[in-house]
Amino acid sequence: MKGIILAGGAGTRLHPITLAVSKQLLPVGDKPMIYYPLSVLMLAGIREILIISTPHDLPQFRRLLGDGTHLGLAIEYRVQAEPNGLPEAFVIGADHIGDDPVALILGDNIFHGHDFYSILSRNSADIQGCVLFGYPVNDPERYGVGETDAAGNLVSLEEKPDRPRSHTAITGLYFYDNAVVDVAKNLRPSARGELEITDVNRWYLERGRARLVNLGRGFAWLDTGTPESLLQAGQYVVTLEERQGIRIACIEEVALRMGFIDRDQCHRLGAALAKSPYGRYVMAIAREGAER
């Protein structure tokens, strides 16, 4: 499976902060925001990743992550000149996807919960159709919403409905089979002039090929699109890390745990950041692996 992180947009709800820097490069805790979606794709076992952003911001992502080889990844970059909707990521990334299934994750979404690795592993294997991830929210009218029947089967999808049929928001993480490329290419823009991801998902639903995985209790899905939600996400991350002595979305640690790099490589990555607590944590993780 290939991976795509969509990290474009102007971040207008975060102005004036994002007049100077991409939203997905803002700090959440002690890490750039993009580390969080990148770590999700890595936990799903994905090593070939495409980052899509604006012409202005793309060089900054390249400086941050390079070609990914230091993490055992292969990272590529493409430009989305205008924010024409999420499905355009599949058109822009068609060559990257090739004949494989693909995972799309939004660059400003943060996921955290118990045994997330197992959830991703189970649902990324043998993709037939699409897999959506739902999360209960108090304000479903702000999101794409999924409705399920008594047996838990997905029966309807709506985009920001005035009268939502459920409180299950569709999160910014999507798994698709290879048909999504042609679906996106043939999609018509909505009344807003954009391609809508809900229309892609509805195409799969109408053919009985859409599945919803509910992320419920004990799980956190954080959208960082406003100053308030960005602050809340940072507080959540810092609180958990301080209490548990761990780092959420430490991409060097994830690379080590997933077997993408060995402990010596991990230690060298930490040593390059040794003046920061983050770097010292990475070195400690590498030593811990050596002692096992």
Side-chain angles (χ1 to χ4, degrees), residues 201-279:
N201 298 336
R202 196 176 287 119
W203 185 92
Y204 281 96
L205 176 63
E206 290 169 353
R207 289 156 180 78
R209 296 168 60 190
R211 185 160 54 88
L212 181 68
V213 176
N214 273 303
L215 304 172
R217 279 188 160 187
F219 213 92
W221 171 53
L222 305 172
D223 180 2
T224 54
T226 67
E228 294 79 14
S229 60
L230 179 63
L231 178 62
Q232 290 168 1
Q235 291 172 333
Y236 173 86
V237 167
V238 170
T239 299
L240 251 66
E241 290 184 346
E242 288 183 349
R243 285 175 179 257
Q244 298 184 3
I246 52 111
R247 282 287 195 281
I248 298 171
C250 174
I251 55 177
E252 296 85 356
E253 179 180 11
V254 175
L256 178 63
R257 302 300 191 202
M258 295 297 295
F260 298 169
I261 60 175
D262 62 31
R263 60 178 182 265
D264 291 333
Q265 292 171 298
C266 183
H267 193 275
R268 285 196 295 272
L269 293 175
L273 307 171
K275 291 186 178 181
S276 70
Y278 182 93

Side-chain angles (χ1 to χ4, degrees), residues 150-163:
N153 300 309
L154 185 63
V155 296
S156 76
L157 289 165
E158 302 174 285
E159 180 64 26
K160 298 180 180 178
D162 293 331
R163 296 182 179 180

